[in-house]
Amino acid sequence: KWSETAKKLADHFEEKFWLQDQGFLTDTHDGNHPDGQLRPNQLWALALPGIPLQKANKERALAAVREKLLTPVGLRTLSPDDPAYQPFYRGGQTERDRAYHQGTVWPWLLGLYADAVAAVDGPDAAREEMMPVLASLSAHLRTEGCIGQIGEVFDGDAPHRPGGAPAQAWSVSEVLRIAKLAGP
């Protein structure tokens, strides 16, 4: 039963989730219409083996994420080109909650991004691309927030001020994982 379902999913994955005009995968699909927002969740499809997506489309999607979502401290949760984009994680609880997934940068997504780069462009490309990001986060570790830690989130716009919890385990662990993959 599951093999039949897997085949149906594989046969229709690209048809349902690939946005040809935008050059990336939709974040969600309601069965009739795809959501056209550029978000980092598509990195799962780029990083995991066996996803039925043409190599050229993987490369285009990764390029879109690199261009619009990647920052020196993590990945934005929404493209700054989107009308719903919130550039800053600040204000009262309501304002911060609104910004959380509308452009706020999450450092823990860097691990998934590095995995996607390695899967699409190769491990050497991932190592090379992660070095400047690791250098930027190294400065954060030494000078900002909770010294020796990485914050939960950052503003989507430069200078990417840290916000949320000053020390977040998933941020630290993913950066450590990337550093280990990048080598000495």
Side-chain angles (χ1 to χ4, degrees), residues 72-74 107 110 132-142 149-150 154 171 175:
V73 291
L110 285 168
V133 177
L134 290 173
S136 178
L137 283 168
S138 177
H140 169 70
L141 281 162
R142 293 188 318 272
Q149 299 295 320
I150 297 173
F154 292 81
S171 298
V175 169

Side-chain angles (χ1 to χ4, degrees), residues 26-159:
T26 183
D27 189 56
T28 61
H29 200 296
D30 69 6
N32 295 311
H33 300 73
D35 174 354
Q37 295 180 308
L38 176 58
R39 295 190 178 271
N41 291 337
Q42 67 189 295
L43 292 169
W44 294 104
L46 302 179
L48 295 171
I51 300 298
L53 187 62
Q54 296 174 39
K55 172 95 168 138
N57 287 344
K58 288 180 180 181
E59 291 168 346
R60 283 184 69 199
L62 185 59
V65 169
R66 182 180 288 125
E67 179 185 345
K68 298 295 182 178
L69 303 183
L70 182 64
T71 75
V73 291
L75 277 94
R76 292 180 181 102
T77 52
L78 182 64
S79 170
D81 295 339
D82 195 289
Y85 178 73
Q86 300 287 314
F88 304 107
Y89 181 79
R90 55 179 70 140
Q93 187 69 47
T94 302
E95 290 83 16
R96 290 192 320 270
D97 286 349
R98 228 178 279 132
Y100 224 42
H101 297 288
Q102 297 299 94
T104 297
V105 172
W106 292 75
W108 79 267
L109 289 170
L110 285 168
L112 179 58
Y113 178 78
D115 292 342
V117 173
V120 175
D121 295 335
D124 290 341
R127 277 190 287 281
E128 184 177 325
E129 190 166 342
M130 290 297 99
M131 293 312 288
V133 177
L134 290 173
S136 178
L137 283 168
S138 177
H140 169 70
L141 281 162
R142 293 188 318 272
T143 63
E144 296 179 326
C146 189
I147 304 299
Q149 299 295 320
I150 297 173
E152 176 185 15
V153 295
F154 292 81
D155 286 342
D157 280 6

